[in-house]
Amino acid sequence: QQQVKQSPQSLIVQKGGISIINCAYENTAFDYFPWYQQFPGKGPALLIAIRPDVSEKKEGRFTISFNKSAKQFSLHIMDSQPGDSATYFCAASSVSGANNLFFGTGTRLTVIP
Amino acid sequence: DADVTQTPRNRITKTGKRIMLECSQTKGHDRMYWYRQDPGLGLRLIYYSFDVKDINKGEISDGYSVSRQAQAKFSLSLESAIPNQTALYFCATSPQAALKEQFFGPGTRLTVL
């Protein structure tokens, strides 16, 4: 059973556009929500993360929006660039659950020049 | 030099063969993890280790075993490989403190014929 559900599976955006990837979870014990970015032939790397005590976190062009009551969080990439083309994974973990990460199924983003 | 290294990077083997994937890290982290990545399924945790004497099963440990030879080394074994173990395998490390970033190796692409 997938603990974190991610959509869409793939996304094509024009350069300069906004990319939005959504994730949802059921386990209310989750208290850490990172996003990982993976380029072809590489391992995933942490992009940005949020704790549930805030509703939004922004780092440069990347923003996480978090809705605790809906148990949903999303990644927004503003002014998308071809270099942002990669696979993005949302994840969730909890201190009580040994901090292990449960990953979403991934979104392959393609930014067209 | 890479902080988390995996060997081999690619491996083709036959059904029934025993195979070992190795992971080494120079980050000085106590925690190490093995994941497998399959298209459409994201990353799933196979085993994790919080220190040399602590090894735990993840979501999908059946058919796999691990050995933590030292703080810096964590190996994954397939005792009798089967075709549905064909996947991309990642090792990751993290500090002992809660809710910290996981650092991934470059991955091993394993094909079982």
Side-chain angles (χ1 to χ4, degrees):
Chain A
Q1 181 182 359
Q2 197 76 28
Q3 297 236 15
V4 180
K5 296 182 179 179
Q6 182 172 348
S7 63
Q9 188 173 1
S10 63
L11 181 62
I12 300 174
V13 174
Q14 292 277 356
K15 178 182 175 181
I18 301 173
S19 303
I20 301 174
I21 305 170
N22 300 299
C23 287
Y25 64 97
E26 288 297 326
N27 188 346
T28 55
F30 287 149
D31 51 13
Y32 175 65
F33 302 90
W35 285 87
Y36 279 77
Q37 181 187 53
Q38 183 183 28
F39 292 106
K42 305 290 186 182
L46 180 66
L47 180 64
I48 186 172
I50 196 168
R51 296 292 307 277
D53 52 343
V54 297
S55 61
E56 185 176 283
K57 183 174 182 180
K58 183 176 181 180
E59 290 185 0
R61 296 183 294 107
F62 300 91
T63 299
I64 300 178
S65 296
F66 184 80
N67 185 329
K68 188 173 182 178
S69 61
K71 292 184 284 186
Q72 295 175 348
F73 58 110
S74 60
L75 176 69
H76 296 236
I77 305 174
M78 311 300 288
D79 187 28
S80 298
Q81 299 296 312
D84 297 331
S85 297
T87 299
Y88 292 81
F89 294 96
C90 61
S93 70
S94 69
V95 174
S96 61
N99 294 331
N100 292 333
L101 287 173
F102 292 91
F103 284 88
T105 51
T107 297
R108 178 173 291 184
L109 171 66
T110 302
V111 181
I112 300 171
Chain B
D1 288 341
D3 294 321
V4 184
T5 57
Q6 293 183 233
T7 56
R9 294 295 312 278
N10 289 281
R11 180 71 183 266
I12 300 174
T13 191
K14 293 183 179 180
T15 297
K17 294 291 187 180
R18 184 179 188 276
I19 185 166
M20 179 181 289
L21 309 182
E22 298 185 338
C23 176
S24 294
Q25 54 114 346
T26 58
K27 299 189 76 67
H29 290 163
D30 288 317
R31 298 186 176 190
M32 299 188 73
Y33 311 79
W34 275 105
Y35 292 90
R36 67 176 278 175
Q37 182 177 0
D38 299 277
L41 295 179
L43 292 103
R44 293 178 293 165
L45 183 64
I46 305 172
Y47 270 95
Y48 62 100
S49 170
F50 284 175
D51 63 46
V52 174
K53 296 183 179 180
D54 180 79
I55 292 178
N56 304 278
K57 293 182 177 180
E59 299 174 68
I60 54 165
S61 59
D62 288 349
Y64 302 95
S65 63
V66 291
S67 174
R68 184 82 183 265
Q69 299 96 325
Q71 186 207 34
K73 296 183 181 295
F74 193 35
S75 60
L76 176 71
S77 294
L78 287 68
E79 297 300 326
S80 180
I82 56 177
N84 78 357
Q85 292 177 313
T86 293
L88 194 53
Y89 290 85
F90 287 100
C91 173
T93 74
S94 73
Q96 194 65 265
L99 306 180
K100 292 296 184 183
E101 177 180 358
Q102 291 189 17
F103 295 84
F104 285 78
T108 294
R109 184 167 296 280
L110 176 66
T111 303
V112 183
L113 301 176

